Amino acid sequence: MKTLATWFLLLFYLLPLGVRSAEILTEKPKVTALFRGQNLDHWKPIHKEGWILDQGTLTPTGKHRKNNYIWTRNSYQDFVLTLQYKLSDGANSGVFIRSDPKNPVQGGIEVQLLDGPSKHALDGALDKHSNGAIYDAVTPSEYNNRPSGQWNSLLIYARGPLVTIYVNGNKVSTANLDHWTQAGQNPDGSKNKFEKALATLPQSGKIGLQYHGKPVWFRDINVTELDETSPDLTRLTARPPSSDDDLRFWLRNMFEFHNYSIHEAAAATGMTPREVTEARERFSIKTGNTISTDPNRPLLTMPYPGGRHPRIGFLDGAIDPQRETKLSVFLPWDPASYAVIDVPEAIVSNLGLMYLAHTHFPSIWTNIGVELEPLEWQRNPDSSFELTRTLPNDIAYTAKAVPTTDAIHFYISLSNGTSRTLTDLRLQNCVMLRGAPEFSYLTKENKILTNPYVAVHNSQKNRWMITAWEHCHNPWTNPNCPCMHSDPRLPDCPPGETVSTTGIFTFYQGTDIQHEFDRLEASGWREYFNKNSPSSQ
């Protein structure tokens, strides 16, 4: 453990100079790739021929249609489990945690996986057997499986008595098992199957996958073991409105543009669901984006309101995402769909990780317990957006976004107020696709990388979203989010100097994407801010 003297030394060097990359005070969590499509080294099926590898997925053979499980060889106590699952039509499966393979039904917790409605409920209602349920204990808040045959994302957060389930980015079930103090009964008085109170079950055990007769597939299974220093994955920092006008703006943003639920709006604002409902009625705010698209107006762009995670998967890689760097750009042919653009998501230099728009890896500030002030986008009369943040070591960045009729133009500058030259300056700018269903498949196959251009297409390959940044050094995608990047590297920045880069985000309807790349290259998008600055007018 760091001594008090070490902390003072760190503060002495950090505040004026930044943090050396080696000064990482938080250890990386222990992550185990339980399944990456190559072998079953971490697994033990109960039947010799019960489960097989199939084109990078883990799937049951169908030879054993009942009581067919596959279990991890190791036991896990506090952890984050992430995986993707695909269900056939009407398939019933489950993920077991902290379980005893000799008695899985009574000796652990099952997270239900089910295509379609529960047969135990009437008229398709949700119950304690619906997809995402903590089986027989907690009814999920919604059914948000993708259609059968498509991949879904599942995250299970188990820490002490707390178990929380996320399906496709949404928190659907949560339970504090300490409240389950009676055998056969849930805290709400309803009956359950358990012969022992859930509060008395062991908080450590195997992870298992279940086959229940119809085909199911799993892939990308990872477990991250937690300890007392691990951040709370369920944490979500609310942004209380500063005034009635502010509240009206954000509620309109959430309900009329982003189609939020009452509970999502409550999470974003820190208000109770009842307070949100009353405010909506007071301001006569409707639900659902009814804004018609106008090709003669700038692309519809709004600050992302938070309260809803902008990712489908890899949520453990973006804990408590902050909204001040995020803008929603709505599709010109579908104003109910949008991409969330994070500018910047991260800033890295020779000093270390100087800024991160969420909690995943410690920045130079979290390493010393310094919290950055929450900010908001400045919304300008010309529909542009701007934000400036000055870090505690006097390094400042400014981000600008200017919507036009056919693109969003971005500008990021960084000014060095320290006494050291900043080198190896890299930005991470992320385009998250969750809000645009026709683009949000959990795959790399619908994306094209041609530096600096990164594009994603719909299933017909006739609609595209494209991003590009000047000085791009790293075009890449993450199918688990899903998201895409065209990340720039900035020139070295001596003390007192400023460096900058520009970017673009645009849409294309057509089938010749290379021709569109060529058109963009000839359009001079890199010079947009030079041509449109006040001095050039």
Side-chain angles (χ1 to χ4, degrees):
M1 181 176 288
K2 298 286 181 180
T3 64
L4 187 61
T6 304
W7 280 106
F8 277 114
L9 284 172
L10 281 170
L11 288 170
F12 178 81
Y13 285 108
L14 283 170
L15 293 181
L17 300 178
V19 176
R20 293 170 174 82
S21 297
E23 292 289 355
I24 299 297
L25 306 185
T26 303
E27 294 183 0
K28 292 183 179 180
K30 182 180 178 182
V31 181
T32 302
L34 293 176
F35 180 72
R36 288 291 176 86
Q38 298 175 341
N39 57 61
L40 297 179
D41 290 352
H42 294 282
W43 297 89
K44 185 177 181 180
I46 64 170
H47 300 291
K48 185 177 180 180
E49 297 180 345
W51 293 73
I52 59 170
L53 304 183
D54 179 18
Q55 298 180 340
T57 71
L58 178 58
T59 186
T61 63
K63 292 184 178 181
H64 303 275
R65 302 180 70 86
K66 290 185 178 181
N67 299 319
N68 189 357
Y69 300 88
I70 186 169
W71 297 98
T72 55
R73 296 183 182 275
N74 293 335
S75 293
Y76 299 92
Q77 182 173 346
D78 293 338
F79 58 85
V80 176
L81 176 68
T82 60
L83 58 82
Q84 292 179 18
Y85 66 92
K86 181 170 64 173
L87 301 173
S88 60
D89 186 33
N92 182 349
S93 180
V95 177
F96 287 74
I97 64 170
R98 295 173 169 174
S99 293
D100 177 5
K102 297 178 180 179
N103 186 18
V105 174
Q106 292 293 331
I109 300 296
E110 178 188 358
V111 177
Q112 172 78 318
L113 302 182
L114 180 66
D115 178 66
S118 166
K119 66 180 181 180
H120 300 277
L122 297 176
D123 300 324
L126 297 168
D127 69 2
K128 296 178 176 65
H129 311 97
S130 300
N131 190 81
I134 301 176
Y135 193 86
D136 226 26
V138 176
T139 300
S141 59
E142 62 177 306
Y143 176 87
N144 65 332
N145 260 350
R146 294 188 165 192
S148 59
Q150 293 186 21
W151 287 100
N152 299 273
S153 176
L154 177 71
L155 183 148
I156 302 174
Y157 178 69
R159 193 170 193 172
L162 179 67
V163 176
T164 304
I165 315 302
Y166 294 80
V167 175
N168 290 327
N170 288 1
K171 182 168 72 172
V172 297
S173 299
T174 191
N176 184 334
L177 298 182
D178 281 348
H179 298 160
W180 270 255
T181 57
Q182 296 186 49
Q185 183 170 305
N186 298 310
D188 63 3
S190 62
K191 301 299 182 182
N192 65 43
K193 66 176 182 178
F194 296 101
E195 298 170 358
K196 295 182 179 179
L198 294 183
T200 67
L201 292 181
Q203 292 186 1
S204 178
K206 310 290 187 180
I207 295 169
L209 309 176
Q210 180 194 53
Y211 173 51
H212 223 312
K214 290 190 176 182
V216 59
W217 298 263
F218 297 92
R219 70 181 184 187
D220 294 333
I221 309 174
N222 300 280
V223 63
T224 302
E225 296 179 64
L226 307 176
D227 60 25
E228 64 277 2
T229 68
S230 302
D232 179 4
L233 185 141
T234 65
R235 185 179 70 214
L236 185 65
T237 301
R239 298 289 184 95
S242 60
S243 65
D244 258 13
D245 287 344
D246 193 44
L247 174 60
R248 182 187 294 107
F249 169 81
W250 285 111
L251 290 184
R252 281 202 64 211
N253 186 336
M254 293 174 196
F255 289 107
E256 294 185 3
F257 293 89
H258 288 91
N259 198 27
Y260 269 32
S261 69
I262 292 291
H263 289 281
E264 287 174 325
T269 60
M271 301 166 64
T272 66
R274 180 176 179 179
E275 289 171 335
V276 170
T277 300
E278 291 173 349
R280 276 188 63 191
E281 294 173 353
R282 178 158 53 97
F283 297 133
S284 300
I285 293 174
K286 302 177 182 179
T287 299
N289 190 342
T290 59
I291 305 299
S292 60
T293 57
D294 183 347
N296 298 314
R297 299 187 64 181
L299 291 172
L300 179 59
T301 306
M302 298 285 287
Y304 187 68
R308 170 193 292 167
H309 206 294
R311 297 180 177 185
I312 291 174
F314 194 38
L315 308 187
D316 48 326
I319 298 171
D320 195 17
Q322 302 302 300
R323 75 183 184 191
E324 61 243 38
T325 58
K326 297 172 180 60
L327 292 169
S328 296
V329 183
F330 292 81
L331 277 57
W333 56 81
D334 178 12
S337 296
Y338 57 91
V340 176
I341 306 180
D342 214 349
V343 282
E345 182 186 12
I347 305 174
V348 181
S349 76
N350 56 316
L351 305 184
L353 179 58
M354 299 193 299
Y355 179 77
L356 186 63
H358 48 74
T359 301
H360 169 46
F361 190 81
S363 73
I364 63 177
W365 309 117
T366 54
N367 276 335
I368 59 171
V370 174
E371 292 190 12
L372 301 181
E373 176 189 6
L375 300 177
E376 300 285 8
W377 285 104
Q378 175 182 310
R379 307 188 297 271
N380 298 321
D382 63 354
S383 299
S384 67
F385 300 87
E386 187 170 346
L387 182 144
T388 296
R389 178 182 286 283
T390 301
L391 298 170
N393 57 358
D394 291 330
I395 294 172
Y397 77 83
T398 295
K400 298 179 181 179
V402 180
T404 65
T405 57
D406 61 355
I408 312 293
H409 291 273
F410 293 99
Y411 172 88
I412 296 179
S413 66
L414 189 143
S415 300
N416 184 4
T418 76
S419 59
R420 294 175 58 183
T421 297
L422 299 177
T423 62
D424 197 23
L425 270 168
R426 289 160 287 147
L427 303 180
Q428 188 162 297
N429 301 313
C430 183
V431 179
M432 291 171 279
L433 308 175
R434 173 184 173 174
E438 65 181 303
F439 297 98
S440 63
Y441 297 102
L442 303 176
T443 179
K444 291 182 179 180
E445 301 304 316
N446 65 341
K447 301 173 185 70
I448 293 177
L449 284 67
T450 304
N451 194 338
Y453 301 100
V454 182
V456 58
H457 62 74
N458 65 356
S459 58
Q460 290 79 34
K461 297 186 179 180
N462 61 359
R463 288 176 174 169
W464 303 75
M465 296 193 289
I466 306 167
T467 186
W469 280 81
E470 181 185 26
H471 310 308
C472 172
H473 79 102
N474 188 23
W476 62 285
T477 68
N478 185 336
N480 295 323
C481 290
C483 64
M484 58 185 189
H485 291 253
S486 173
D487 292 342
R489 184 189 297 272
L490 298 176
D492 292 351
C493 188
E497 298 295 319
T498 298
V499 293
S500 64
T501 185
T502 61
I504 190 172
F505 176 80
T506 187
F507 300 95
Y508 168 60
Q509 297 191 68
T511 57
D512 191 346
I513 189 61
Q514 185 57 53
H515 182 270
E516 179 64 8
F517 291 159
D518 294 340
R519 187 196 69 80
L520 286 170
E521 196 63 21
S523 71
W525 59 266
R526 296 173 181 82
E527 299 301 318
Y528 177 85
F529 286 92
N530 289 333
K531 294 177 180 178
N532 292 276
S533 65
S535 60
S536 67
Q537 303 299 315

